[in-house]
Amino acid sequence: MRLIFHDIMDTVTEDGIKCLRDEAEAIIDLIPLLDENFAKAVHLIYSSKGRIVITGVGKSGHIGAKIAATLASTGTPSFYVNPLDAYHGDLGMFTPEDVVIAISYSGNTDELLRFIPSLLARKIPIIGISGNPDSLLGRYSTCHLNVAVKREACPLNLAPTSSTTATLAMGDALACALIKLRNFKAEDFARFHPGGSLGRRLLTKVRDVMHTDALPTVTPDIRISDAVMTISAGKFGLAAVTDADGYVKGVVTDGDVRRAMQTDRDRFFDLCVKDIYNPSPKTIGEDSMLTEAEEKIRTGRLHCLLVLDSEGKLSGIIDAINCVPR
């Protein structure tokens, strides 16, 4: 019985792997299909003075709703409309300043095509997304994005799988291009996501979470043996090197101390902080966003950052654990 169970598990795992590979391949295959139509679509959306109205039937509708949500959350006012609702009165929601993204893998979905003439009559631009550029949707679109796939990941080659994945990826490609074009920032994203830990982190400044009590500081002229005590008491593995007025001149770490012990063992106790400290420490301003501190700590493979006020004086220390807002 156990052998049979393991055989079944191996088989379904292989099926799952094949599905993921097929869908990944479908996305990669989109790259050669990106042409001037993609740039034209991005320009239409970027220059629109209205909203982006996305429409599609069935699975295409579900994908369209997700694309609308992604665009809306990244600075492009967008919403989804069911074609059946549009045909039965919701066309009044469309304005000549809007841009419509119409999704149909076949490009010939009857419910979708019914209200295309109304859009054309009102000169509303249409970005068609389908797997068939020669379809009616492809022909009547202002620009057409081709999301053709070789086959569906479905073993029967019937259920929309690779095609919906490709369409979703194309929508993400539009959103990513627009994010760069609009110079959309993390703080802009936070304004559209004010709830939960994501919003808190994106709206949190370094000053809100930095350590400020009993900061470990030393002057350049004190002996290393005294600096070791300060570093140990501070529990950050470092001490900020400051002058008499509190301006940061550098940083000395426990690693600097260990290296000095190895290379200058004979005169170690005669050394001063100025002999071993780093005069170019990684710092961040107290009014910087927490996300910037996270990025500096991650890319620099650091444990801590010295936090400076507007005058360049030490005002706090922020560490990797400290980067989680309370």
Side-chain angles (χ1 to χ4, degrees), residues 22-52:
D22 288 346
E23 296 197 357
E25 182 180 345
I27 294 176
I28 294 298
D29 287 345
L30 289 182
I31 295 175
L33 301 182
L34 288 187
D35 54 18
E36 66 277 3
N37 280 287
F38 182 80
K40 187 175 182 180
V42 172
H43 175 72
L44 279 174
I45 297 171
Y46 179 72
S47 58
S48 171
K49 296 180 180 178
R51 291 108 9 118
I52 309 305

Side-chain angles (χ1 to χ4, degrees), residues 289-309:
M289 302 306 295
L290 181 61
T291 50
E292 182 182 346
E294 290 176 326
E295 181 67 10
K296 283 192 173 186
I297 288 174
R298 183 183 65 81
T299 57
R301 297 182 179 180
L302 307 172
H303 296 296
C304 300
L305 285 172
L306 301 183
V307 183
L308 308 184
D309 64 15

